[in-house]
Amino acid sequence: MRAALAIAMKDLRSELRAKEMVSAMFLFSLLIVLAFRFGFDESVTAGSVDLPDLAAAALWVCFSFAAIVGMHSSFAKEKDRETLEGLMLCPVERSELFLGKVISNMVLVFIVDVLSIAFFALFFAYDYGGNTLSVVAIAIMGTLTLVLVGTLVAAISVNTKAREVLLPILLIPLIAFSVIMPSVTLTGDAIAGTATESVREIASIAGFAVIFGVIGYLTADYVFEG
Amino acid sequence: MSGWKLGRHWNLLLAVSSALVLVTVLLALFYAPVPSCSVKTANELASSMEGSRITISGFVVGLDVSDDVWLGVLYDYNLTVADFSDYARYLEAVRTGQLDGQWWTVSPVIVRVTAGGWFQANGPYLSVGAGSNVSATGVVVIMPDLTSVVLRCESGYDVVELSSPGAAGIMTAPIAQKIFYFHMPSAWVSYVGFFLTLLFGVMYLRTRDRKYDRIASSSAELGVLFATIAIATGPIWAKEEWGVYWRWDDTKLVTTFVMWLVYIGYLMLRAAVVDHSARARVSAVYGILGFVTMPMSLLSSRIAPLIQSSHPQVIASSSGSLSPEAGLTVIVAVVAFTFLFITMLIKRVEIEESEDELEELKRIVGGEE
């Protein structure tokens, strides 16, 4: 676990210096929210759109795609600079390497989550029914599952030819049921203030976090190889 | 490498599986019974519930608007009936489609919504439209005209009347049901294929023997092929039985679709990695990860209290519910498709082997060694 933390700290420190990933994810999520704002312009102006529904859907589209951008570059960067080899030469278990990447990705994606929540509030003049904190809490939970499976798939796809395209193709079907659907429902419930009653969705997200976490931990040896 | 080379035996296998598929077609067409009217009609149900207070709710699909009558097709209807002693059993039967020991789904019940003054005042649309959920509470009344009107419940301005679409009460186009004998075995074989992808992926990771990778990839390919057949044949039946080709609120359909996407992703992943061992390695890991979707699809019509699915449950947990003829046809169909799968898998693995061999030869001729 200490090794994992060290790797995560290394990632975060280099990110703090270069600010590459966060700025890309930041702009990306800004643009997605903006696209929703433009797309729903007429109905928002007319007040005919169901804002809680739109907020839940837009936020999770935003989180998922921003996370894809981030998780992709967390490995692509290492691959291009040929530092992945160096990382693998470290006397560290591969599963620790995986955990380290999960932690650093989690932190970065979560920052972007919070920013997207703020952008949405700003662009749509929306206060999440006064339940912003529970929306953030749901974002943490869903993002954890998302990052657990996403980091593994990103580590897989970074070795391929069309890696930018392949990551979403491989990842989105996997997160459709495990993350996006329950999280959107939960976020809607959170805005309505009834998130704690949606035991099924919470259990589903947590269950998939465990499944993906275990698969990632056990297969890390094979993913980071050669 | 020669382990898979069956030569003449493969031809025999091909002949057997082709014959079995042919037998399946013949059985399905001429032997398996056309679903008949043994399921209780809505009328019969209604008479056993006369006077009960019911709430009916469900999903509206089709609609047909005439002057003052609005027709919709209601699915997933729930009847909440007070004073109906056997209600729980009935609800279970509705859910699993086994109202009378039959295994197919209960047909849509036509909902007739008559509207009164409110309707005329507000144009052709009521508070319900296609795609919406309707709910109404009222008392069951048996109408004198039993051919059309059965249950009546009143909710605000709307009168919801359940009626039976004809005498049979089920399957407005029963011939469509025969596609089941190809739909279900295809789905079964695709599940087998994806399971083999997982199994041989794990075997590859443990042994690093290329032959396991060849089997894993071949069975994923065939799994996608058969899943495509299952996904394509399902809507043909659904259009007849449910009135729509596809329902996004049906978990079975959506999970199967997602599973199909995952394994298409698996094939794309394989195509995108050049190096053999890296390809085998990462695709084995993705095969493990992607397998998460398989039980979701397989089990989603069985754990229905948790999720919403009106996809028929084929092998029901209780009561052997297939008629003997239909049962035999299903068994033959499953055996035929399994044989077909094995036959195709062996050939596909052989082709992969030859490709590898060819590459090896090219490398030697090219003098890279």
PDB file of all heavy atoms in Angstrom, chain A residues 190-207:
ATOM      1  N   ALA A 190     -30.598  12.078  -5.237  1.00  0.00           N
ATOM      2  CA  ALA A 190     -29.893  12.981  -4.334  1.00  0.00           C
ATOM      3  C   ALA A 190     -30.459  14.396  -4.456  1.00  0.00           C
ATOM      4  O   ALA A 190     -30.638  15.085  -3.448  1.00  0.00           O
ATOM      5  CB  ALA A 190     -28.407  12.981  -4.635  1.00  0.00           C
ATOM      6  N   ILE A 191     -30.738  14.789  -5.700  1.00  0.00           N
ATOM      7  CA  ILE A 191     -31.298  16.131  -5.886  1.00  0.00           C
ATOM      8  C   ILE A 191     -32.668  16.222  -5.227  1.00  0.00           C
ATOM      9  O   ILE A 191     -33.016  17.230  -4.614  1.00  0.00           O
ATOM     10  CB  ILE A 191     -31.372  16.457  -7.397  1.00  0.00           C
ATOM     11  CG1 ILE A 191     -29.951  16.596  -7.959  1.00  0.00           C
ATOM     12  CG2 ILE A 191     -32.152  17.738  -7.631  1.00  0.00           C
ATOM     13  CD1 ILE A 191     -29.895  16.697  -9.450  1.00  0.00           C
ATOM     14  N   ALA A 192     -33.421  15.117  -5.306  1.00  0.00           N
ATOM     15  CA  ALA A 192     -34.729  15.106  -4.663  1.00  0.00           C
ATOM     16  C   ALA A 192     -34.611  14.891  -3.149  1.00  0.00           C
ATOM     17  O   ALA A 192     -35.610  14.930  -2.442  1.00  0.00           O
ATOM     18  CB  ALA A 192     -35.596  14.021  -5.278  1.00  0.00           C
ATOM     19  N   GLY A 193     -33.384  14.610  -2.681  1.00  0.00           N
ATOM     20  CA  GLY A 193     -33.171  14.421  -1.249  1.00  0.00           C
ATOM     21  C   GLY A 193     -33.498  13.036  -0.749  1.00  0.00           C
ATOM     22  O   GLY A 193     -33.660  12.821   0.450  1.00  0.00           O
ATOM     23  N   THR A 194     -33.614  12.058  -1.653  1.00  0.00           N
ATOM     24  CA  THR A 194     -34.003  10.715  -1.209  1.00  0.00           C
ATOM     25  C   THR A 194     -32.940   9.669  -1.523  1.00  0.00           C
ATOM     26  O   THR A 194     -33.244   8.490  -1.645  1.00  0.00           O
ATOM     27  CB  THR A 194     -35.322  10.279  -1.876  1.00  0.00           C
ATOM     28  OG1 THR A 194     -35.138  10.323  -3.301  1.00  0.00           O
ATOM     29  CG2 THR A 194     -36.456  11.179  -1.490  1.00  0.00           C
ATOM     30  N   ALA A 195     -31.684  10.117  -1.668  1.00  0.00           N
ATOM     31  CA  ALA A 195     -30.643   9.186  -2.103  1.00  0.00           C
ATOM     32  C   ALA A 195     -30.455   8.021  -1.152  1.00  0.00           C
ATOM     33  O   ALA A 195     -30.165   6.905  -1.567  1.00  0.00           O
ATOM     34  CB  ALA A 195     -29.329   9.921  -2.286  1.00  0.00           C
ATOM     35  N   THR A 196     -30.636   8.266   0.150  1.00  0.00           N
ATOM     36  CA  THR A 196     -30.376   7.195   1.123  1.00  0.00           C
ATOM     37  C   THR A 196     -31.389   6.065   1.004  1.00  0.00           C
ATOM     38  O   THR A 196     -31.163   4.971   1.515  1.00  0.00           O
ATOM     39  CB  THR A 196     -30.402   7.753   2.551  1.00  0.00           C
ATOM     40  OG1 THR A 196     -31.504   8.660   2.658  1.00  0.00           O
ATOM     41  CG2 THR A 196     -29.105   8.458   2.884  1.00  0.00           C
ATOM     42  N   GLU A 197     -32.514   6.325   0.319  1.00  0.00           N
ATOM     43  CA  GLU A 197     -33.508   5.263   0.171  1.00  0.00           C
ATOM     44  C   GLU A 197     -33.183   4.331  -0.992  1.00  0.00           C
ATOM     45  O   GLU A 197     -33.735   3.239  -1.104  1.00  0.00           O
ATOM     46  CB  GLU A 197     -34.896   5.868  -0.049  1.00  0.00           C
ATOM     47  CG  GLU A 197     -35.457   6.499   1.211  1.00  0.00           C
ATOM     48  CD  GLU A 197     -36.531   7.532   0.886  1.00  0.00           C
ATOM     49  OE1 GLU A 197     -37.246   7.344  -0.115  1.00  0.00           O
ATOM     50  OE2 GLU A 197     -36.626   8.528   1.629  1.00  0.00           O
ATOM     51  N   SER A 198     -32.285   4.752  -1.893  1.00  0.00           N
ATOM     52  CA  SER A 198     -32.013   3.948  -3.086  1.00  0.00           C
ATOM     53  C   SER A 198     -30.938   2.911  -2.788  1.00  0.00           C
ATOM     54  O   SER A 198     -29.847   2.940  -3.354  1.00  0.00           O
ATOM     55  CB  SER A 198     -31.569   4.835  -4.241  1.00  0.00           C
ATOM     56  OG  SER A 198     -32.347   5.983  -4.293  1.00  0.00           O
ATOM     57  N   VAL A 199     -31.282   1.976  -1.914  1.00  0.00           N
ATOM     58  CA  VAL A 199     -30.310   0.977  -1.470  1.00  0.00           C
ATOM     59  C   VAL A 199     -29.804   0.146  -2.642  1.00  0.00           C
ATOM     60  O   VAL A 199     -28.624  -0.196  -2.726  1.00  0.00           O
ATOM     61  CB  VAL A 199     -30.950   0.058  -0.414  1.00  0.00           C
ATOM     62  CG1 VAL A 199     -29.939  -0.915   0.134  1.00  0.00           C
ATOM     63  CG2 VAL A 199     -31.549   0.893   0.698  1.00  0.00           C
ATOM     64  N   ARG A 200     -30.723  -0.157  -3.565  1.00  0.00           N
ATOM     65  CA  ARG A 200     -30.367  -1.031  -4.680  1.00  0.00           C
ATOM     66  C   ARG A 200     -29.245  -0.431  -5.528  1.00  0.00           C
ATOM     67  O   ARG A 200     -28.284  -1.115  -5.873  1.00  0.00           O
ATOM     68  CB  ARG A 200     -31.612  -1.231  -5.548  1.00  0.00           C
ATOM     69  CG  ARG A 200     -31.745  -2.612  -6.061  1.00  0.00           C
ATOM     70  CD  ARG A 200     -33.004  -2.721  -6.868  1.00  0.00           C
ATOM     71  NE  ARG A 200     -32.829  -2.184  -8.189  1.00  0.00           N
ATOM     72  CZ  ARG A 200     -33.845  -1.922  -9.011  1.00  0.00           C
ATOM     73  NH1 ARG A 200     -35.072  -2.121  -8.635  1.00  0.00           N
ATOM     74  NH2 ARG A 200     -33.613  -1.458 -10.219  1.00  0.00           N
ATOM     75  N   GLU A 201     -29.363   0.862  -5.830  1.00  0.00           N
ATOM     76  CA  GLU A 201     -28.354   1.498  -6.672  1.00  0.00           C
ATOM     77  C   GLU A 201     -27.019   1.573  -5.931  1.00  0.00           C
ATOM     78  O   GLU A 201     -25.966   1.314  -6.508  1.00  0.00           O
ATOM     79  CB  GLU A 201     -28.796   2.901  -7.088  1.00  0.00           C
ATOM     80  CG  GLU A 201     -29.723   2.937  -8.285  1.00  0.00           C
ATOM     81  CD  GLU A 201     -31.148   2.548  -7.938  1.00  0.00           C
ATOM     82  OE1 GLU A 201     -31.486   2.635  -6.732  1.00  0.00           O
ATOM     83  OE2 GLU A 201     -31.902   2.151  -8.835  1.00  0.00           O
ATOM     84  N   ILE A 202     -27.100   1.945  -4.635  1.00  0.00           N
ATOM     85  CA  ILE A 202     -25.860   2.053  -3.862  1.00  0.00           C
ATOM     86  C   ILE A 202     -25.170   0.690  -3.809  1.00  0.00           C
ATOM     87  O   ILE A 202     -23.966   0.562  -4.057  1.00  0.00           O
ATOM     88  CB  ILE A 202     -26.155   2.568  -2.440  1.00  0.00           C
ATOM     89  CG1 ILE A 202     -26.702   4.002  -2.516  1.00  0.00           C
ATOM     90  CG2 ILE A 202     -24.890   2.549  -1.581  1.00  0.00           C
ATOM     91  CD1 ILE A 202     -27.134   4.586  -1.193  1.00  0.00           C
ATOM     92  N   ALA A 203     -25.961  -0.351  -3.531  1.00  0.00           N
ATOM     93  CA  ALA A 203     -25.388  -1.698  -3.450  1.00  0.00           C
ATOM     94  C   ALA A 203     -24.796  -2.105  -4.790  1.00  0.00           C
ATOM     95  O   ALA A 203     -23.734  -2.740  -4.844  1.00  0.00           O
ATOM     96  CB  ALA A 203     -26.461  -2.691  -3.029  1.00  0.00           C
ATOM     97  N   SER A 204     -25.473  -1.723  -5.863  1.00  0.00           N
ATOM     98  CA  SER A 204     -24.988  -2.113  -7.180  1.00  0.00           C
ATOM     99  C   SER A 204     -23.647  -1.445  -7.493  1.00  0.00           C
ATOM    100  O   SER A 204     -22.705  -2.108  -7.954  1.00  0.00           O
ATOM    101  CB  SER A 204     -26.063  -1.774  -8.215  1.00  0.00           C
ATOM    102  OG  SER A 204     -25.505  -1.443  -9.433  1.00  0.00           O
ATOM    103  N   ILE A 205     -23.550  -0.139  -7.223  1.00  0.00           N
ATOM    104  CA  ILE A 205     -22.285   0.552  -7.492  1.00  0.00           C
ATOM    105  C   ILE A 205     -21.162  -0.031  -6.625  1.00  0.00           C
ATOM    106  O   ILE A 205     -20.062  -0.318  -7.102  1.00  0.00           O
ATOM    107  CB  ILE A 205     -22.404   2.065  -7.239  1.00  0.00           C
ATOM    108  CG1 ILE A 205     -23.429   2.667  -8.203  1.00  0.00           C
ATOM    109  CG2 ILE A 205     -21.071   2.762  -7.416  1.00  0.00           C
ATOM    110  CD1 ILE A 205     -23.679   4.125  -7.967  1.00  0.00           C
ATOM    111  N   ALA A 206     -21.471  -0.242  -5.343  1.00  0.00           N
ATOM    112  CA  ALA A 206     -20.456  -0.772  -4.439  1.00  0.00           C
ATOM    113  C   ALA A 206     -20.040  -2.181  -4.854  1.00  0.00           C
ATOM    114  O   ALA A 206     -18.857  -2.528  -4.850  1.00  0.00           O
ATOM    115  CB  ALA A 206     -20.986  -0.766  -3.007  1.00  0.00           C
ATOM    116  N   GLY A 207     -21.033  -2.987  -5.235  1.00  0.00           N
ATOM    117  CA  GLY A 207     -20.743  -4.359  -5.654  1.00  0.00           C
ATOM    118  C   GLY A 207     -19.819  -4.386  -6.858  1.00  0.00           C
ATOM    119  O   GLY A 207     -18.836  -5.148  -6.889  1.00  0.00           O
TER     120      GLY A 207
END
